[in-house]
Amino acid sequence: MDHERFGKAGFAAFLLAQVGAHAAKRFGEELAPLKLSPPHAGILRVLAGASGLSQRELGARLGIHPSRLVAIVDEMEALGLVKREANSDDRRQYALVLTARGREALGEIGMVGRRHNETLLRALSEEERGVLAGLLQKIATDQGLRPGVHPGYAGLGRPGRAEG
Amino acid sequence: MDHERFGKAGFAAFLLAQVGAHAAKRFGEELAPLKLSPPHAGILRVLAGASGLSQRELGARLGIHPSRLVAIVDEMEALGLVKREANSDDRRQYALVLTARGREALGEIGMVGRRHNETLLRALSEEERGVLAGLLQKIATDQGLRPGVHPGYAGLGRPGRAEG
């Protein structure tokens, strides 16, 4: 119906939201058996590349509200994925580091991500996947989206601009 | 980071979820000044094509949980967008119909949708928009997504398969 109303190209925004929500939901479902959520996955990825980040820096980087981030990091500490270490430069801030279990989980998330990608895009050829990624990257850059910031945070962020 | 890990094509699923969440959020923000939400927009669209649908039929078509749908239809009735009419075939079910204000809102939503599409896809040429829509449609069909069912319902649906 929208297809008819907007024409093929005009329908792209709607399809993007529809397929994107499906992708995010499926990724969350595929992580669930590991007792992990998309925010956990995103935080592990960031810390793998920037060990020792403070909670404040992590929140700013991911656009997650500080109070919500404290709860997620508490969860992750209880799961043994990260630990808080006293920061020698500023004792008021804790440095967040991955544990061995956190690094192991990151490997599992990578496998889930590759399987998820394969299932989601199975209707497309390798070439079409490349074209799709290229077009999406153009939109992401134009819209000012941060590379690698997972939309699982969108519902957790500051009101108004969670992932932008 | 994910880009490096998965390669360009392998990054598509992540980008899809990221750009899709951004698209859905922006559409919601653009509807807000009209005091409308994406579920309102979706319900108005469905009723425009199938006036007199019962609430049960509407919920089944959109994948919205019945109890949540009652609350949304209450809101929409209070806003003067729809009305419940006694169904002559089955008095236990109300038929939902658009009001004149509902039809007017639908026109406004169409304008918001076109503007939203234009803003979201401004980095792409007309041809690229067509390619993107074609690739997304292939994925949507393969993944069994219902045409025209807006992801705004995803958070409202039955546990497990809201929009699928």
Side-chain angles (χ1 to χ4, degrees):
Chain A
M1 177 175 51
D2 294 277
H3 209 133
E4 287 156 34
R5 196 191 314 266
F6 298 124
K8 191 178 175 189
F11 192 51
F14 188 94
L15 270 169
L16 252 176
Q18 186 187 31
V19 177
H22 173 75
K25 186 160 153 288
R26 292 286 299 125
F27 184 60
E29 288 168 357
E30 286 164 28
L31 282 179
L34 303 178
K35 297 191 196 305
L36 295 170
S37 69
H40 295 156
I43 290 169
L44 290 173
R45 284 195 198 106
V46 169
L47 291 180
S51 190
L53 226 52
S54 75
Q55 224 164 263
R56 189 187 302 176
E57 291 164 330
L58 180 68
R61 198 177 286 209
L62 292 174
I64 304 183
H65 193 276
S67 64
R68 177 71 182 116
L69 184 60
V70 168
I72 300 174
V73 173
D74 282 350
E75 262 172 41
M76 293 177 73
E77 205 167 21
L79 289 167
L81 299 167
V82 299
K83 57 183 183 213
R84 290 174 165 109
E85 289 183 346
N87 187 324
S88 57
D89 297 341
D90 180 352
R91 291 196 157 273
R92 291 164 304 174
Q93 291 198 51
Y94 287 103
L96 295 171
V97 297
L98 290 189
T99 61
R101 171 68 198 121
R103 279 187 293 274
E104 190 182 273
L106 203 56
E108 293 164 0
I109 292 165
M111 287 200 299
V112 167
R114 282 186 291 275
R115 194 173 61 217
H116 165 61
N117 196 76
E118 194 50 51
T119 305
L120 186 74
L121 304 177
R122 64 189 171 199
L124 305 187
S125 70
E126 197 58 31
E127 193 193 333
E128 286 174 324
R129 294 178 195 192
V131 170
L132 177 65
L135 295 172
L136 292 172
Q137 188 57 66
K138 266 196 195 181
I139 299 172
T141 302
D142 170 67
Q143 298 285 310
L145 303 183
R146 297 184 204 168
V149 175
H150 197 279
Y153 315 137
L156 314 170
R158 316 159 222 136
R161 290 208 75 189
E163 88 281 14
Chain B
M1 176 176 50
D2 295 275
H3 210 133
E4 286 157 35
R5 196 190 315 267
F6 299 125
K8 191 178 175 190
F11 192 51
F14 188 94
L15 271 169
L16 252 175
Q18 187 187 30
V19 177
H22 173 75
K25 185 159 153 290
R26 292 286 301 126
F27 184 61
E29 287 167 359
E30 285 164 27
L31 282 178
L34 303 179
K35 296 191 197 305
L36 294 170
S37 68
H40 295 157
I43 289 169
L44 290 172
R45 285 195 198 106
V46 169
L47 291 180
S51 189
L53 225 53
S54 75
Q55 225 163 262
R56 189 187 303 178
E57 290 164 330
L58 180 67
R61 197 177 288 207
L62 293 175
I64 303 183
H65 193 276
S67 63
R68 178 69 183 119
L69 184 60
V70 168
I72 300 174
V73 173
D74 282 350
E75 260 172 43
M76 293 179 72
E77 205 167 21
L79 290 167
L81 299 167
V82 299
K83 58 183 183 215
R84 290 174 166 110
E85 288 183 346
N87 185 323
S88 57
D89 298 340
D90 180 352
R91 290 197 158 270
R92 290 165 305 176
Q93 292 198 49
Y94 286 103
L96 295 172
V97 296
L98 290 189
T99 62
R101 171 67 198 121
R103 279 187 293 276
E104 191 182 272
L106 203 55
E108 293 164 0
I109 291 164
M111 287 200 300
V112 167
R114 282 186 290 277
R115 195 173 63 217
H116 165 62
N117 196 76
E118 193 50 50
T119 306
L120 185 74
L121 304 177
R122 65 190 171 199
L124 305 187
S125 69
E126 196 59 30
E127 192 193 333
E128 286 174 322
R129 294 178 195 193
V131 170
L132 177 65
L135 295 173
L136 292 172
Q137 187 58 66
K138 265 196 195 180
I139 299 172
T141 302
D142 171 66
Q143 297 286 310
L145 302 183
R146 298 185 204 167
V149 175
H150 197 279
Y153 314 139
L156 316 169
R158 315 158 225 138
R161 289 209 73 188
E163 87 282 14

